[in-house]
Amino acid sequence: MAVALRLNRQGTKDRPYYKIVAVDSRKRRDGRYIEQVGTYDPGKEGVNYTVDLEKADKWVGVGAQVSETVNSIIRKARTAASKA
């Protein structure tokens, strides 16, 4: 089973927010996922994401493929965590 870390779209029309999830890569974008790793809300100003870096590291360590957007969010979360 190939696992991917990617976004799962939630919310209503024109007001989306996303869950960052670990999912079987063959599943639909909004299908059943294995574990939620964080959230991303593009409608918010400032810090618009939350990520559990331990869970993300666990999945990347097991070989999960990370989408470009999720990779960018994880990088931002790491730099914010290192500054704090």
Side-chain angles (χ1 to χ4, degrees), residues 26-65:
R26 298 169 292 184
K27 296 281 186 186
R28 300 176 305 206
R29 178 192 70 186
D30 299 333
R32 179 181 294 194
Y33 54 86
I34 302 168
E35 182 176 26
Q36 181 174 339
V37 177
T39 61
Y40 168 60
D41 188 354
K44 286 173 115 179
E45 295 293 323
V47 178
N48 56 1
Y49 56 85
T50 60
V51 179
D52 185 342
L53 292 174
E54 290 180 13
K55 288 181 183 179
D57 289 339
K58 180 188 87 168
W59 284 108
V60 171
V62 208
Q65 296 295 312

Side-chain angles (χ1 to χ4, degrees), residues 8-19 40-45:
N8 180 303
R9 190 177 196 276
Q10 303 288 303
T12 61
K13 183 177 170 184
D14 297 328
R15 298 203 35 117
Y17 68 91
Y18 299 90
K19 293 180 181 178
Y40 168 60
D41 188 354
K44 286 173 115 179
E45 295 293 323

Side-chain angles (χ1 to χ4, degrees), residues 55-74:
K55 288 181 183 179
D57 289 339
K58 180 188 87 168
W59 284 108
V60 171
V62 208
Q65 296 295 312
V66 184
S67 73
E68 286 183 37
T69 307
V70 172
N71 192 26
S72 172
I73 293 169
I74 289 173

